[in-house]
């Protein structure tokens, strides 16, 4: 998928590169929105791929729509995880709803969204609602919160994984 490749090193892009990517994203969202409004989303695959485009939006409504479309793909598949090219509707739903909550200043539920802080060279997990049931994290994200911290540390950090709210205390 082109979008995934374009974002692999997003945190290292110049502001001009990010602006160019943002423009391409906006064009994709317009096209997908038009296709959706024409009633052409009829299969789980349509909702999953449309959600992928909107998850890279720039406002909370984009992230909420992406989460709704991922959840629709899941529901259309009899509440079984819908996979397309190895991409999980459950996982994408968890990522998108977390992105939505963080974008509104709320705590995320699943713990699927990390934020890159260039000043500390750190991928930090956004604030997480710890009262959210662990079994739901496992069902959708496929990981516990503790394993998510370890995954971030292993794959993204030279520094240790930290929570944004812990950084605010420093």
């Amino acid at each position: 998928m082109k979008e995934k490749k374009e974002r692999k090193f997003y945190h290292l892009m110049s502001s001009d590169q990010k602006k160019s990517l943002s423009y391409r994203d906006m064009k994709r969202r317009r096209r997908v929105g038009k296709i959706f409004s024409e009633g052409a989303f009829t299969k789980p695959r349509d909702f999953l791929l449309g959600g992928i485009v909107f998850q890279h939006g720039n406002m909370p409504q984009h992230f909420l729509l992406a989460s709704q479309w991922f959840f629709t793909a899941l529901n259309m598949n009899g509440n079984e995880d819908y996979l397309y090219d190895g991409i999980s509707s459950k996982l994408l739903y968890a990522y998108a709803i977390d992105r939505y909550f963080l974008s509104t200043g709320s705590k995320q539920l699943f713990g699927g969204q990390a934020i890159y802080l260039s000043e500390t060279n750190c991928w930090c997990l956004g604030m997480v609602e710890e009262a959210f049931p662990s079994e739901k994290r496992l069902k959708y994200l496929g990981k516990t919160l503790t394993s998510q911290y370890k995954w971030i540390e292993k794959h993204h950090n030279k520094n240790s994984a930290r929570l944004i709210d812990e950084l605010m205390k420093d």
Side-chain angles (χ1 to χ4, degrees):
M1 304 200 121
K2 187 175 184 178
E3 285 196 38
K4 187 175 180 179
K5 289 178 188 174
E6 287 183 323
R7 280 175 177 68
K8 186 169 185 171
F9 298 105
Y10 182 83
H11 64 285
L12 300 175
M13 289 181 176
S14 70
S15 64
D16 285 343
Q17 289 170 318
K18 288 178 181 178
K19 193 179 284 187
S20 177
L21 178 60
S22 180
Y23 177 74
R24 290 190 304 276
D25 285 344
M26 183 262 311
K27 286 176 62 176
R28 285 188 279 258
R29 283 191 306 276
R30 281 187 182 161
R31 178 71 183 126
V32 168
K34 185 174 181 345
I35 292 168
F36 175 75
S37 69
E38 293 168 351
F41 281 28
T42 60
K43 298 176 281 208
R45 176 182 183 269
D46 302 331
F47 286 94
L48 186 127
L49 294 176
I52 288 172
V53 171
F54 272 80
Q55 79 174 348
H56 296 124
N58 55 8
M59 59 181 51
Q61 295 86 342
H62 294 157
F63 312 136
L64 184 59
L65 182 59
S67 71
Q68 290 171 333
W69 283 353
F70 294 139
F71 201 72
T72 299
L74 182 64
N75 285 335
M76 289 176 81
N77 202 44
N79 287 327
E80 292 295 319
D81 197 9
Y82 176 77
L83 296 172
Y84 173 76
D85 199 25
I87 301 169
S88 162
S89 59
K90 282 183 182 179
L91 183 61
L92 289 174
Y93 167 72
Y95 286 163
I97 200 68
D98 277 353
R99 192 172 286 173
Y100 168 73
F101 282 123
L102 287 176
S103 73
T104 62
S106 301
K107 292 179 179 182
Q108 60 182 316
L109 301 177
F110 296 97
Q113 292 296 312
I115 301 160
Y116 181 73
L117 301 175
S118 58
E119 60 276 4
T120 60
N121 190 32
C122 177
W123 281 95
C124 298
L125 201 59
M127 295 182 299
V128 179
E129 178 53 64
E130 297 200 15
F132 189 70
S134 296
E135 60 273 5
K136 287 198 178 194
R137 282 194 185 104
L138 279 171
K139 179 180 177 181
Y140 289 91
L141 193 62
K143 300 176 184 175
T144 64
L145 198 50
T146 301
S147 64
Q148 183 66 351
Y149 290 134
K150 290 177 182 176
W151 184 87
I152 289 170
E153 187 169 358
K154 180 179 176 185
H155 289 92
H156 294 292
N157 283 346
K158 292 180 181 164
N159 302 324
S160 62
R162 299 173 70 188
L163 281 169
I164 294 295
D165 53 348
E166 286 177 11
L167 287 174
M168 299 302 192
K169 294 176 191 172
D170 290 349

